[in-house]
Structure formats: structure tokens, C-alpha cells
Amino acid sequence: MRQDAVKTYFLGVEVYAFGLYAAMGMALGMVVLCLLLRKAKWKKGSAALTGVLAIGLGLLVSRLFFGLMDETLGQAMPLWAMLRFSSGGYSMIGALLGACMGGIAAARLTRQNAPRLLDFLAPALLMFVACERLGEGYIEDFGVSRTLTDAFFQGTFLGVEGDYSWRLATYLLESFTALVLCLVLLKDVGGCRRAGDTFLLFLLLFGASQVLMESLRYDQHMTVKAFVKLQQIMDMMLLGAGVIVLALRNWKERRSLAVAALVSIVFTVGLGVAIEFMIDRTQISHYILYLCFLIVVAVPVYLGIRLRKEN
């Protein structure tokens, strides 16, 4: 085992602390998926097949995304290094994308509704995210913010003390947000929704929240040229994909709202980039800037939710 990793004991066996939280997240996610599929009376074995494919493809795509996009080593990770899974280096967006690919494959193999399976898979994925983010707290200088410029969070559970400064425990905010979104989707999937609607809500809410969270993170994970955060870009793509699908679906019946939603994506990207530059290069209060960022990102989410309503 790696000597620099934080370890703990589980049932008398020494394990990685981060790995334990990731495994717990996958287990709880599978429980959520099993209960939802059982309640919906899906074919027996659907949850098991979905779990195998989602976890397997999630691991592979997560590793592949990190290996190709991260430039910590100054270049893309070679294939032989990607195959050394114990060396670390994964992408959350890659994991979620791979898991969704596994869900679609499982639905196709069992000849069931793929969009509906994604509806059930979405809250399960958020349960995994909630646990995995807690595990990030055991990795040094990971999942934390820039150096705090005031004492507001110092000494609180959201403050992480370093050698000479305090930082915000962004991983705790991400874990709590994922748990709240999981509850929201569980309530939504229980309603009379058309297939795929809950998954679209997942794209809107998770994508938007992670755009903000990735802005708060300052751990250089999957960052190129010191400031371009690749996962933040992909989070915006999730939000954009949800809005675009809903806009196209409502193009004939609610064209004005659909056009407004599409335009809001363009403005969100432009204003978001401007705010990111202001956070690093101006003396304007970060509280004000992140409040503006929140409002900017909330606009396409609001319009997307409006489009998602049948009436």
C-alpha cells in the first residue's frame, strides 16, 4: 500500500480512508438503485447488471478522463500509467459519465427504457458523490479553496487550517449539496414524470452547482495553464446539455422561452468567465462575486425547469 496515503481499519482490515468512503458511496448508491427499481417493478437482475456496468465503466472512463486531460506531469499520462489504478488520479465527471453509459447499456441489454433507468440512476449517483466527497477530506490539500482573506470561517467546521493560512473545506459543501440534490431527485422520480425528466433535472442542478464548487476548489486537480479547470467546463456542458434538450423539445410550443433558455447559456458562459477572472485579478469581495456567480448560473437552471414542466 502507498505509504503517503491516510489509512484506517474496517472490519479489522487496513484500507485506504478515501477508498473506504468511495466504496461506501457505491454501496449506498446501489441500495438506492435497487429500492427504486424494485418499487418500479423492473425485471429481476436489472439492478445487479446496472451496478456491474456502471461501476466498471465509471472506473474506466474516470481514469481515462484524468489520464488524457490532467497535466500535473506536464503531459498526458501514458497508457501503461493509466493501467496502474493504485497510483491515483480520477475524474468525477468521467466517473458519472461512465456510470450513465453503463446504465444505458444495461437498459439496452434487458430491453427496457433507457431514459427511465437514467432517472433511477441519477439519485444513486448523487449518493455516491456525497460519500466520495467526504473521503476527499483525507487527501492533503485536496478539495479546498483559495487562502481565505478574512476570519469568517476560521475555527469552524468549514475551515481547514494549513501551515500559514486557512482554507474553505469545499469538499464538505460538495458532499452536502450532493445529498440535498439526491433527496430532491428521489422526490421527483416518484412523481408522474415522462421518462428522462428526472435525469434532465439532475443535469441542470448538479451541473450548475458544480460550476460554482469547481470555482471554489483550488487544488489544481485537472487544471491546465494554472487557471482553466477542465471539470468546471464539463459541468457547464452538463448544464448546457440539459437546457438544450429541453429547449429543442419545447421549440414549437414554447419557442420564446426556449430561445431565452438557449441565449442564457451563452450569457452564463461569458459572464462566468468574466467573474472567474475577477475572482483572481481584482480586489472585489469574493462574497459579492460568488453571489453574482450564483445568480448568473441560476438563470438557465430556472428557465430549464420552466421548460421541463408539462403545463
Side-chain angles (χ1 to χ4, degrees):
M1 298 182 72
R2 290 181 55 149
Q3 297 303 312
D4 58 337
V6 178
K7 306 177 188 68
T8 187
Y9 283 90
F10 180 71
L11 300 179
V13 179
E14 187 179 34
V15 297
Y16 292 126
F18 171 78
L20 178 61
Y21 276 88
M24 288 172 55
M26 284 185 280
L28 291 175
M30 281 301 303
V31 170
V32 171
L33 182 64
C34 287
L35 293 176
L36 290 175
L37 292 182
R38 178 179 295 181
K39 182 178 180 181
K41 298 180 180 180
W42 274 49
K43 294 180 180 178
K44 291 184 178 181
S46 296
L49 178 61
T50 303
V52 169
L53 294 177
I55 293 174
L57 288 175
L59 174 66
L60 293 176
V61 178
S62 176
R63 184 66 169 169
L64 184 64
F65 269 35
F66 177 84
L68 294 177
M69 299 182 191
D70 187 76
E71 292 190 0
T72 303
L73 301 176
Q75 61 181 2
M77 185 181 294
L79 179 60
W80 64 265
M82 289 189 200
L83 297 176
R84 296 177 58 182
F85 291 98
S86 61
S87 64
Y90 296 94
S91 162
M92 174 59 78
I93 293 296
L96 299 181
L97 177 60
C100 291
M101 293 166 59
I104 294 173
R108 293 284 185 262
L109 290 172
T110 58
R111 296 181 180 179
Q112 297 179 99
N113 192 314
R116 180 63 72 189
L117 182 55
L118 290 179
D119 289 339
F120 297 136
L121 186 60
L125 294 178
L126 287 171
M127 181 61 71
F128 161 71
V129 173
C131 293
E132 186 276 344
R133 293 302 190 196
L134 290 178
E136 291 182 6
Y138 291 92
I139 304 175
E140 186 177 3
D141 296 328
F142 195 73
V144 294
S145 72
R146 300 166 177 80
T147 299
L148 296 176
T149 57
D150 56 45
F152 186 78
F153 290 103
Q154 292 184 14
T156 69
F157 72 98
L158 287 176
V160 178
E161 187 176 9
D163 294 334
Y164 305 102
S165 62
W166 285 80
R167 296 184 180 185
L168 183 67
T170 309
Y171 63 89
L172 288 179
L173 295 177
E174 291 179 287
S175 176
F176 177 74
T177 301
L179 183 59
V180 171
L181 294 185
C182 176
L183 297 176
V184 170
L185 294 189
L186 285 174
K187 182 178 180 181
D188 187 79
V189 77
C192 298
R193 300 285 183 186
R194 62 187 292 179
D197 264 14
T198 298
F199 184 72
L200 289 174
L201 184 61
F202 164 75
L203 295 180
L204 295 176
L205 297 179
F206 182 76
S209 62
Q210 279 301 122
V211 167
L212 293 171
M213 294 300 174
E214 287 291 341
S215 177
L216 284 172
R217 294 174 71 108
Y218 205 65
D219 50 22
Q220 305 304 312
H221 180 63
M222 293 186 68
T223 301
V224 297
K225 295 183 179 179
F227 68 93
V228 180
K229 300 173 182 177
L230 297 176
Q231 294 206 121
Q232 187 180 29
I233 295 174
M234 288 185 279
D235 292 324
M236 188 64 214
M237 292 173 64
L238 294 182
L239 172 58
V243 172
I244 291 172
V245 170
L246 289 165
L248 294 178
R249 196 171 75 181
N250 292 272
W251 187 255
K252 293 183 179 180
E253 296 81 8
R254 310 167 76 182
R255 181 165 299 183
S256 59
L257 187 60
V259 171
L262 293 175
V263 171
S264 72
I265 290 294
V266 178
F267 277 98
T268 298
V269 172
L271 292 174
V273 172
I275 293 174
E276 281 288 346
F277 275 97
M278 294 171 70
I279 290 172
D280 284 328
R281 292 167 174 79
T282 68
Q283 299 300 317
I284 301 176
S285 170
H286 285 184
Y287 296 108
I288 295 176
L289 290 175
Y290 275 109
L291 177 61
C292 294
F293 209 164
L294 174 63
I295 295 172
V296 167
V297 174
V299 172
V301 175
Y302 169 73
L303 294 175
I305 291 175
R306 286 281 305 278
L307 287 170
R308 198 179 71 113
K309 293 182 178 179
E310 295 296 337
N311 299 319

